[in-house]
Amino acid sequence: MKRILPLITLFLASTSLAQQTLTVYSGRAKTFVEPVVQQFERQTGIKVNVRYGTDAQLVAALQEEGKRSPADVFWGNSVGALGELSQAKLFSPLAKSLYRNISDDYAPASADWLPTTVRFRVLAYNPGKIKPSDLPDTILNLPKMTSLKGRIGWTVSYPSFQDFLAGMIAKHGESVTKQWLEGMKALQPKDYKTSNVGMLEAMRAGDIDVALTNHYYIQRVNRLNYPVETHFFKAGDIGNLGNATGAALLKTSKNRSAALRFLQTLTGKDAQTFFLSVNFEYPVTGNIIQPSTMLPYNDVVKRSPKLDPAVLPKNIEKAQKLLRDAGLL
């Protein structure tokens, strides 16, 4: 009987683990999520159900569901969405141990969501049409480049663009941001909605010469030999804003131990290497080798302005209002 009891205990423990189910609300695309989820399921035996949507859709769903939400984890695509849910007190505080190996550059002071990758805003340009020496050292001077009238691309509906605009409000104020938008509008930029890839395809086709985007889109199209290069503005310029993706444990979680294990997986070496290899996003841990086509993390992070991630969600509505008032959204 003494030999049988440990076997029964082991069987019950493994059965309990296999029966666990985790529900993840993901603002990240399936391409970046599914391989990580599948590996997590193989390694743990925990079944993961993923609900995909835009950050805005999932934020609205979580707020509407309230305590009835089946979600255990929110995996967001922007600091704005993460901050909005954090301010709404929908996240559970996380243990300091989860942040042990993570760069603190984008870790929130609230310590209730975990950065998973970092992206940087940049200016893409066609080197066959534009000399890098002719580009401004600050994004605030971009509207002064009247030679680019009708030759600029942007994606005003894209969350990272709106986070950038919220950052501009935080750093320079609403008046300066409004003036910048009016100056940009006068240059008749082409809006590619949320399609950054489509925007860079338009650059290859010769429809535009410069575009406001995230660094990794340029890395991705460079594999296809697109005529697109990266321009960083001067150190600390809002045009280089760093913006994290991240994940959090929801207070509604019924599977907290499994959810925390999933968060650990997202910041583990395998997942971090995958995010870098598939999308050229910067890892949040320092033990991942980056391709030579990317600036080292320690260099690029110095180019980004030092803004508390919490200021972005506070200014998102202001940014959207400025865009609507300008007739751009």
Side-chain angles (χ1 to χ4, degrees), residues 29-45:
K30 192 173 184 178
T31 305
F32 313 128
V33 173
E34 192 170 53
V36 175
V37 164
Q38 290 175 345
Q39 184 177 20
F40 177 80
E41 289 178 328
R42 287 193 299 269
Q43 291 176 342
T44 66

Side-chain angles (χ1 to χ4, degrees), residues 126-265:
N126 183 337
K129 301 288 186 68
I130 301 290
K131 295 179 181 179
S133 58
D134 291 336
L135 293 171
D137 64 354
T138 172
I139 199 169
L140 296 180
N141 288 338
L142 188 58
K144 297 178 181 179
M145 295 193 67
T146 55
S147 61
L148 292 175
K149 188 172 183 177
R151 308 293 298 172
I152 300 175
W154 62 2
T155 54
V156 298
S157 301
Y158 190 58
S160 288
F161 179 86
Q162 295 185 7
D163 280 347
F164 144 72
L165 207 61
M168 183 181 286
I169 292 172
K171 186 174 175 65
H172 297 290
E174 286 187 69
S175 177
V176 169
T177 305
K178 180 180 179 181
Q179 184 179 0
W180 182 82
L181 279 175
E182 290 172 347
M184 288 294 295
K185 184 179 179 181
L187 294 184
Q188 299 176 5
K190 297 177 180 178
D191 183 11
Y192 293 87
K193 307 304 179 184
T194 60
S195 180
N196 285 268
V197 172
M199 181 168 62
L200 296 186
E201 287 175 348
M203 185 177 291
R204 180 181 64 164
D207 295 335
I208 56 175
D209 297 330
V210 300
L212 293 167
T213 188
N214 287 342
H215 80 273
Y216 58 84
Y217 286 109
I218 302 172
Q219 292 289 320
R220 283 162 59 181
V221 300
N222 280 349
R223 290 186 296 189
L224 304 174
N225 296 316
Y226 280 30
V228 181
E229 297 292 341
T230 302
H231 174 70
F232 282 98
F233 301 98
K234 65 183 179 180
D237 193 77
I238 194 64
N240 305 329
L241 180 66
N243 194 359
T245 66
L249 169 66
L250 289 157
K251 287 182 177 179
T252 54
S253 176
K254 306 297 190 299
N255 305 287
R256 295 177 64 88
S257 61
L260 289 170
R261 193 168 179 181
F262 185 75
L263 293 184
Q264 287 179 314
T265 295

